[in-house]
Amino acid sequence: MQCVSNVFYWILQGYVMGIIDVIVACSFDDSQEYCTYDNPFYFQNELMGYSLMLINSKNSEINGSRGFGHMEGLIERVISHEAIHVAIKKLEGQGISDKLDDLEIFFPLGRGKTHIIKMNFLGYASDNTGLITVN
């Protein structure tokens, strides 16, 4: 993955905020693979940004499977999505930032049927903004 060269910065109130690094780690519980942000980086006592953390599952590590093998085509979306979390956290706090992933998108399938997905299912996104929209 050439994701380090795809660093996404968010300019916010005079500070550089966003994802400025990528880290791959492994969970110690039975959770599935997931992405998050953590590991804040400070420069001259000002928060500069966070690391995008790709957390591999314990099961994938034990079995030697590639939990993020499908990730390369989505990495820009993931970086953008996590940078949005960082900006919301700065403006509104951690609790509101965490609720971004709880938002549900409803889109029609035809014949009166509707499909519902969570906003963090970035495979459904039509661009690299990190947000899922319905046209």
Side-chain angles (χ1 to χ4, degrees):
M1 270 190 279
Q2 296 181 358
C3 47
V4 177
S5 63
N6 293 323
V7 174
F8 181 84
Y9 292 103
W10 192 278
I11 307 301
L12 186 65
Q13 297 178 356
Y15 304 116
V16 176
M17 291 289 297
I19 302 300
I20 61 173
D21 191 16
V22 177
I23 295 174
V24 178
C26 179
S27 66
F28 60 88
D29 58 12
D30 292 325
S31 62
Q32 296 179 341
E33 290 86 8
Y34 65 96
C35 300
T36 191
Y37 66 95
D38 203 348
N39 196 31
F41 176 77
Y42 294 88
F43 179 72
Q44 296 181 348
N45 297 324
E46 299 293 339
L47 179 64
M48 295 295 291
Y50 293 85
S51 297
L52 169 65
M53 299 185 74
L54 306 175
I55 311 296
N56 206 9
S57 71
K58 179 174 75 173
N59 188 42
S60 291
E61 285 294 321
I62 290 171
N63 293 320
S65 62
R66 293 182 49 198
F68 287 104
H70 63 284
M71 188 72 161
E72 197 159 337
L74 299 175
I75 194 67
E76 289 180 89
R77 296 173 188 181
V78 172
I79 291 171
S80 296
H81 182 83
E82 295 303 326
I84 291 168
H85 275 291
V86 168
I88 293 172
K89 179 180 178 179
K90 175 71 174 170
L91 293 170
E92 301 292 336
Q94 182 74 46
I96 300 297
S97 176
D98 289 345
K99 289 181 181 180
L100 175 65
D101 291 336
D102 294 334
L103 293 175
E104 294 179 333
I105 307 297
F106 295 76
F107 61 91
L109 294 175
R111 296 187 180 152
K113 295 185 178 185
T114 303
H115 187 63
I116 304 170
I117 57 171
K118 297 273 185 166
M119 185 167 276
N120 62 345
F121 289 179
L122 297 177
Y124 285 83
S126 59
D127 59 23
N128 290 329
T129 61
L131 298 173
I132 296 174
T133 58
V134 177
N135 296 332

